[in-house]
Amino acid sequence: MSEIFSSPDLTQHYQQKIRQVFAEVGKVVVGQQYMLNRLLIGLFTGGHILLEGVPGLAKTLTISTLAQVLHLHFQRVQFTPDLLPSDLVGTMIYNQTQSEFEVKKGPIFANLVLADEVNRSPAKVQSALLEAMQEKQVTIGETTYPLDLPFLVLATQNPVEQEGTYPLPEAQVDRFMMKVYVDYLKKAEELEVMRRMANLSYSSDVQAVLTKEDIFGIRGLINQVQISDTLEKYIIELVFATRKPAEYDLGEFAQYVQYGVSPRASIALHRAARTVAFFDERDYVLPEDIKDVAADVLNHRIMLTYEAEADGVRTQDLIEAMLRKVPIS
């Protein structure tokens, strides 16, 4: 590791703490290292994460366990069709003793907010969440209140059961740094889960590892990770390949793209790639770091046509083609 980091000893200290986070969460959650990796990328870059997967894959358990490992204020909100914006952000209530209205803050006033099944609430609730995600503030009555930093929304949604759900608007989906598809466990991992859960007396306590100061310290070190001009231009080429696929030799995919990604995608790729490099104990970004996070950063931002859905073309197919075709020059 080169001397670009301001303090190599401090860097090693924080990287050791990150390994401890994985170990502590692993006491409760079997497997799902990929999902935890993405959650930590969001934590250390200030990016919100959307998790999608069938029920029972430990999405909620992983987030709640991670919250225990962090010295952060955590709130879980179960999104339902009858949820109101005031249930999320808070409201004004009348204090009869003082003969005046006072603010009752909602669960959004936390550092780590789990929005469980976020697509089950109507547009008004989602728009209230949108202000908090983007502006790091909420408005109650006529007053705007800043949220305590770090502030992170970790949302889950179930891709199977669509009855009674409200698709997230594109403007809100774009606010999520990554959309992570959570897959089934491997056989050995599922065997371990079965054995743990079959033991009715099984319990595992986790220890808090990171504080707010640690998180901001790690963010500062990630900000020192170097990325070359060549790789920055490569990120821009990937982004423009989603907007003008015909110019990048992507063949039949050109006809299936309705809209490409926004500038938030290039920012997210830049931040996420540097975080991956830091996790690998490097102070410089490799092309593999960008490719590693490309699918999660881009998949929910690319809008395909109805023809693509009819022909069975996925955004994942387009991203894989881009990573093969777009050169690094």
Side-chain angles (χ1 to χ4, degrees), residues 76-92:
R76 177 182 179 273
V77 183
Q78 181 64 51
F79 279 59
T80 57
D82 60 347
L83 193 72
L84 298 175
S86 59
D87 297 327
L88 181 65
V89 303
T91 188
M92 303 288 292

Side-chain angles (χ1 to χ4, degrees), residues 246-264:
E247 298 179 7
Y248 289 84
D249 191 27
L250 293 178
E252 63 177 4
F253 288 108
Q255 62 180 315
Y256 291 127
V257 178
Q258 186 173 9
Y259 295 109
V261 301
S262 75
R264 289 193 183 94

Side-chain angles (χ1 to χ4, degrees), residues 14 21 41 47 107 119 145 154 195 200 217 240 284 286:
Y14 281 142
V21 170
I41 288 176
N119 57 333
Y145 298 89
L154 306 175
R195 287 172 174 169
L200 299 180
F240 271 74
Y284 56 90
L286 296 174

